[in-house]
Amino acid sequence: MVYDWQFIVLIIIAVLITGISKSGFAGGVGVVAVPLISLKASPTFAVAVMLPLLIVMDVFSLKAWWRHRVGSVLWLMFPPAVLGVAVGYLTYGLFDEDLLKVLLGIFSILFGLWGLLKPFRGRSVPTWVGGLSGGIAGFTSFIAHAGGPPLNFYLLQLRLTREQFLATAVVFLAATNLVKLVPYGMLGLLNVENVTVALLLIPVAWLGVRLGLIIQKRLSGELFFRVILCLLILLGIRLIVDGWG
């Protein structure tokens, strides 16, 4: 690895955005971290460095949101997420990462447009949709820490307050990240170099989480959801560009 100034700037921006996303926007836009870091490093390095930082951010965020979580939704989505992580581990090195980015990008754009043009929040949806979304979130989270879009796909259709929405997303992603520690360790991704870089970036992660908490408190509920949907569309475009590039 060459730690030049461009790499340092990119990784700081990626961690800062992820911190803001984790605490204020349910992790949706934080998925850009891996593509950003991958501009100057390998995707493998990017996901390995981000996992310890994500767990640190989770600790900061859980303190603020734990009491607002919706347990029934977590019990529905988390077991399939564990299965999704297992599938990611078993297919590691075989799945075309570019294809995953394109598919996830298309998914994000379609969902964002659907939500903006035809509101559907609060409608009754089958429970199997939640299970499927949880499984996909576990898989995409393992591959590229991109569990936010599939998670949001289901959560935004429920009758949740902003606090319940954020808290449930924070707890779900935190639990999924802890599960990922085992397969990442088995694959040798958590080596001394990667963990050292992550430790040095903890202050940046803390700053991002604090900024996210401040930002989300200043937004109205409807504006909050619209911001998430718009971010999903922008995120989807970025993922497609990265996948085809």
Side-chain angles (χ1 to χ4, degrees):
M1 276 296 306
V2 178
Y3 300 105
D4 58 17
W5 70 269
Q6 292 178 325
F7 169 79
I8 294 173
V9 170
L10 279 176
I11 199 169
I12 288 177
I13 292 174
V15 173
L16 195 61
I17 291 176
T18 303
I20 294 173
S21 174
K22 290 285 288 183
S23 60
F25 298 95
V29 75
V31 71
V32 301
V34 171
L36 274 176
I37 299 173
S38 297
L39 294 176
K40 293 291 292 184
S42 69
T44 300
F45 173 85
V47 296
V49 168
M50 285 304 300
L51 182 58
L53 287 169
L54 288 171
I55 292 174
V56 170
M57 295 175 196
D58 290 334
V59 173
F60 295 147
S61 299
L62 284 172
K63 292 174 63 177
W65 296 110
W66 176 258
R67 68 183 183 278
H68 297 293
R69 71 195 185 282
V70 181
S72 58
V73 177
L74 291 170
W75 280 113
L76 172 65
M77 300 188 73
F78 181 65
V82 175
L83 180 60
V85 170
V87 172
Y89 168 72
L90 294 174
T91 59
Y92 180 79
L94 300 178
F95 199 89
D96 188 335
E97 184 175 324
D98 289 336
L99 177 59
L100 175 63
K101 289 180 180 178
V102 172
L103 293 176
L104 188 60
I106 293 173
F107 176 87
S108 298
I109 291 173
L110 290 177
F111 169 66
L113 291 174
W114 185 19
L116 289 173
L117 301 178
K118 184 180 179 181
F120 59 94
R121 293 188 296 277
R123 292 187 179 182
S124 177
V125 292
T127 55
W128 65 263
V129 175
L132 179 61
S133 296
I136 295 174
F139 177 71
T140 55
S141 180
F142 179 89
I143 297 298
H145 301 316
L151 172 64
N152 291 342
F153 178 81
Y154 183 67
L155 292 186
L156 283 174
Q157 300 180 67
L158 303 179
R159 297 180 183 277
L160 302 178
T161 64
R162 178 174 60 178
E163 289 75 16
Q164 290 175 326
F165 174 84
L166 281 168
T168 304
V170 165
V171 174
F172 175 88
L173 294 172
T176 303
N177 286 332
L178 286 177
V179 171
K180 284 151 55 178
L181 277 175
V182 176
Y184 271 47
M186 294 173 64
L187 291 170
L189 298 178
L190 301 178
N191 56 43
V192 175
E193 178 185 10
N194 295 343
V195 174
T196 300
V197 173
L199 291 175
L200 292 173
L201 290 166
I202 287 179
V204 180
W206 176 85
L207 177 60
V209 171
R210 298 306 303 174
L211 288 174
L213 290 172
I214 293 172
I215 292 171
Q216 65 83 24
K217 288 180 180 178
R218 298 178 182 273
L219 295 178
S220 67
E222 184 61 27
L223 179 59
F224 168 77
F225 286 115
R226 287 185 177 277
V227 167
I228 290 181
L229 292 169
C230 291
L231 288 175
L232 282 178
I233 294 173
L234 295 175
L235 173 60
I237 294 172
R238 175 56 189 266
L239 287 172
I240 292 175
V241 171
D242 286 342
W244 277 345

